[in-house]
Amino acid sequence: MARRKKGDAVSGWVCLDKPYDLTSTSAVSRVRRLFNAQKAGHAGTLDPLATGVLPIALGEATKTVPFLMDADKTYRFTIAWGRTTATFDREGETTATSDVRPTPEAVAAALPAFVGEIQQVPPAFSAVKVDGERAYDLARAGEAVDLKPRPVVIHAARVVGAPDADHVQIEMDCGKGTYVRAVVRDLAAALGACAHVSELRRTRVGGFTEARAIGLENLEDLGHKARLSEALLPVETALDDIPALAVTAEDAFRLKQGRPIVLVPRQVEALKARLAPGSRTVSAMAGGSIVALCEMRAGRLEPARVFHLDQSGD
């Protein structure tokens, strides 16, 4: 007999507002315990020193994590002038100092060079792997870390504030794999200044926004009141960019069994018009819930990932 999984069959997303000085892994563990969920994962690590949007998947939502990993993100961060650190954040050891204080106007004029597809060298203190080891482990051990430039996409970057001469605040929309600390490192170099990130907040991951985020304390409070379900977003929240097709109960049953369903020509044309270039992925919906993620081929939907969201668990 198969062993029963520990925990409850809870499925959905929590848009967590991760607090300062907490790892993403610890945040996932705390949310999983609150919901007593069988499975949990997250989409896009946030450094302990960063705050903001950390989408956490529970149960069947973990099957949609890969789709959110590629989503665009928005960051709001503060640059502190005058001191460069080994980690390019405020916790690192000082490696250089300078009296140069670029004006907000100078920063705004320099930012367009960082917009578009650019080549970026990740910081030595990063999770990038070098010969099977994390770069930050090598850097902490005092080893020289030689990381190669890689392409990243920055859609927009703008100055949004300057509380004093020592600080400037920037908001940036970017694609996956972009390091804010590397942007600050390279921006400071372009302006002949020393700098580090003093505050970092992620305000968006795909369709998960700051406005939808809930803090751990509020989540724990809902737990005490037996109202945790109020913080649970549907599994398909991570699939905003994927076209959905409503299917019949009969077709839903076929898909759950791993069998393809045949589309009528008008369905094929309607889906083709909504698919992203090069994509064939369609979400099949029944009764307001996702049934399966499918690949559209030759006028058929072939199930790639099946979801079990009904009470019977079939």
Side-chain angles (χ1 to χ4, degrees), residues 23-35 40 56 216:
T23 67
S24 295
T25 302
S26 296
V28 170
S29 296
R30 288 177 66 171
V31 171
R32 180 180 182 175
R33 282 197 300 271
L34 273 172
F35 282 87
I56 295 178
L216 265 178

Side-chain angles (χ1 to χ4, degrees), residues 130-284:
V130 181
D131 296 329
E133 294 193 63
R134 298 291 185 187
Y136 54 65
D137 288 330
L138 298 172
R140 284 173 189 149
E143 295 186 34
V145 181
D146 182 26
L147 296 175
K148 301 288 186 269
R150 57 186 191 173
V152 297
V153 176
I154 297 177
H155 301 292
R158 51 206 166 264
V159 174
V160 293
D164 52 49
D166 293 328
H167 300 87
V168 66
Q169 295 166 332
I170 292 174
E171 192 170 67
M172 181 176 80
D173 305 318
C174 60
K176 68 173 183 177
T178 306
Y179 281 92
V180 170
R181 288 175 292 134
V183 170
V184 171
R185 173 198 65 201
D186 298 341
L187 180 63
L191 293 167
C194 289
H196 63 275
V197 179
S198 62
E199 286 185 34
L200 173 60
R201 182 168 177 77
R202 188 161 66 191
T203 59
R204 181 179 69 92
V205 178
F208 293 83
T209 62
E210 192 174 30
R212 302 173 89 171
I214 182 168
L216 265 178
E217 287 186 5
N218 287 342
L219 202 58
E220 288 166 351
D221 186 51
L222 286 177
H224 295 320
K225 297 174 180 175
R227 290 166 49 195
L228 273 174
S229 60
E230 294 176 20
L232 205 58
L233 300 171
V235 168
E236 55 270 19
T237 307
L239 307 173
D240 277 355
D241 296 334
I242 295 173
L245 176 70
V247 299
T248 64
E250 183 181 349
D251 280 345
F253 181 74
R254 288 179 65 88
L255 290 170
K256 282 192 174 189
Q257 290 186 318
R259 295 187 291 162
I261 62 171
V262 178
L263 302 174
V264 297
R266 61 178 173 78
Q267 289 175 316
V268 173
E269 292 308 310
L271 288 171
K272 278 184 177 177
R274 294 161 56 205
L275 284 169
S279 173
R280 296 172 177 269
T281 305
V282 174
S283 55

Side-chain angles (χ1 to χ4, degrees), residues 90-144:
R90 68 189 194 190
E91 296 287 303
E93 292 184 14
T94 301
T95 57
T97 59
S98 168
D99 292 331
V100 177
R101 300 291 187 272
T103 64
E105 292 77 18
V107 175
L111 282 176
F114 295 87
V115 174
E117 183 173 310
I118 64 170
Q119 293 292 318
Q120 185 184 74
V121 178
F125 285 86
S126 64
V128 176
K129 286 195 172 181
V130 181
D131 296 329
E133 294 193 63
R134 298 291 185 187
Y136 54 65
D137 288 330
L138 298 172
R140 284 173 189 149
E143 295 186 34

